[in-house]
Amino acid sequence: MSPDIETLIQKISRLPGLGPRSARRIVIHLIRNREQSLEPMLMSMDNVYKNIKVCPVCSNIDTFADVCSICSDNKRRRDIICVVESIANLWAIEKTSCFTGQYHVLKGLLSSIDGQGPEFLMLEELQKRCDENHISEIIIALSATVEGQTTDHYIKNFFKNKNIKITSLAHGIPIGGELDYLDDGTLFAAFSARG
Amino acid sequence: MSPDIETLIQKISRLPGLGPRSARRIVIHLIRNREQSLEPMLMSMDNVYKNIKVCPVCSNIDTFADVCSICSDNKRRRDIICVVESIANLWAIEKTSCFTGQYHVLKGLLSSIDGQGPEFLMLEELQKRCDENHISEIIIALSATVEGQTTDHYIKNFFKNKNIKITSLAHGIPIGGELDYLDDGTLFAAFSARG
């Protein structure tokens, strides 16, 4: 195998969810379909490489514009900010179109294991945004994991005496979930939050 | 999500073994690691794109050289040719280093469903190679599937009266395989070929 191809296989095998075997399959597919697959892939990747920018307002990632398309969209509500852990979660929320406000993307959750302290939350920036614009509500939309809930508490505590309404996503039975397959924690949360 | 990023996700999700979810994960990884992952990936892919060539002798794929590194390697045996279905299989055989001869890579197996006839086997070219060089043996190393075995038979038939030794890979119990988990076909083959 030529060193060029071997290098590409190695690089692809380091992507999340892939290994040497799947990387080899992908490279063979790309090589076999040089015009239909490899060339467009290359151009598309180059586009993203050249154009990605981190939005200075919400830390979302976008191409072309300096301020991301969500922050600059005039049709979206400007008085409500949703705190998410990552762009992946932002995309997931955007896909449902259930939220039409602004975002605040964290650099990561609080995690003593990974050495991620409060500076990852950029709460001063968020505070500044709240002061400059009239923000009526901050929605904390973090995962229901230990790190997620710790971060949720920390953010709530930070904004405690600052006269801003802070809410978190509800915990309960997921739609389509069967009661007898749910874990105790979820059932407990669903009971406590019944209404 | 920006259209550039969306296009890249779409392109990656069409690769074998990937879907929209894993493609999104990969793109987020690439974007987050622009310098350490996206840039080297782009360069490596560009290298392969610019340099891949199909070897005119054996149809192997290589970079830089016109004739592939296997065909031009003087340390390898020149009197023995191994017929394989694809470069993936060639790479698999090369990894074991159990074969040091030349290759003949088919364009595909005989398959009436996929409309692949004898022209995919390029047997005239193989015949020509045999006539021009002194080939003592052709090893047919195809999968033990219906298509593989049909193609195996076809190639054997093609070379029947041409005074070249033709062999196929042995069928039997795979190393590490437990007898009681084997299918009937494999057990039958292992019994017939006992020795």
Side-chain angles (χ1 to χ4, degrees), chain A residues 1-5 7-9 11-12 14-18 21-22 24-32 34-35 37-42 44-52 61-64 69-70 85-89 91-92 94-95 106-107, chain B residues 1-5 7-9 11-12 14-18 21-22 24-32 34-35 37-42 44-52 61-64 69-70 85-89 91-92 94-95 106-107:
Chain A
M1 203 190 307
S2 90
D4 280 348
I5 297 177
T7 315
L8 183 59
I9 292 179
K11 294 226 179 323
I12 290 184
R14 279 198 219 107
L15 293 175
L18 299 180
R21 238 164 239 276
S22 40
R24 217 172 301 138
R25 243 177 100 201
I26 288 173
V27 169
I28 286 173
H29 173 89
L30 288 174
I31 290 178
R32 272 193 172 166
R34 190 169 176 271
E35 268 71 38
S37 185
L38 182 51
E39 193 179 341
M41 173 80 69
L42 201 55
S44 167
M45 208 175 264
D46 194 53
N47 263 344
V48 168
Y49 172 69
K50 281 187 189 137
N51 299 327
I52 43 170
I61 279 173
D62 210 329
T63 51
F64 295 114
S69 57
I70 293 176
E85 181 193 337
S86 61
I87 350 165
N89 292 358
W91 289 353
E94 280 300 289
K95 227 173 54 185
L106 305 178
K107 282 186 189 154
Chain B
M1 206 188 308
S2 90
D4 281 345
I5 298 177
T7 315
L8 183 59
I9 291 179
K11 294 227 179 322
I12 290 184
R14 278 197 220 107
L15 292 175
L18 298 180
R21 237 165 240 274
S22 41
R24 218 173 300 140
R25 243 177 101 201
I26 288 173
V27 169
I28 286 174
H29 172 90
L30 288 174
I31 290 178
R32 271 194 175 167
R34 191 170 176 270
E35 268 72 37
S37 185
L38 181 52
E39 192 180 344
M41 174 80 68
L42 201 55
S44 167
M45 208 175 264
D46 194 53
N47 263 344
V48 168
Y49 173 68
K50 282 187 189 137
N51 298 327
I52 43 171
I61 277 173
D62 210 330
T63 50
F64 295 115
S69 56
I70 293 176
E85 181 193 338
S86 62
I87 351 165
N89 292 358
W91 290 352
E94 280 299 289
K95 227 175 50 185
L106 306 178
K107 280 187 190 155

Side-chain angles (χ1 to χ4, degrees), chain B residues 50-69:
Chain B
K50 282 187 189 137
N51 298 327
I52 43 171
K53 274 170 194 150
V54 176
C55 172
V57 180
C58 71
S59 306
N60 181 18
I61 277 173
D62 210 330
T63 50
F64 295 115
D66 275 337
V67 172
C68 81
S69 56

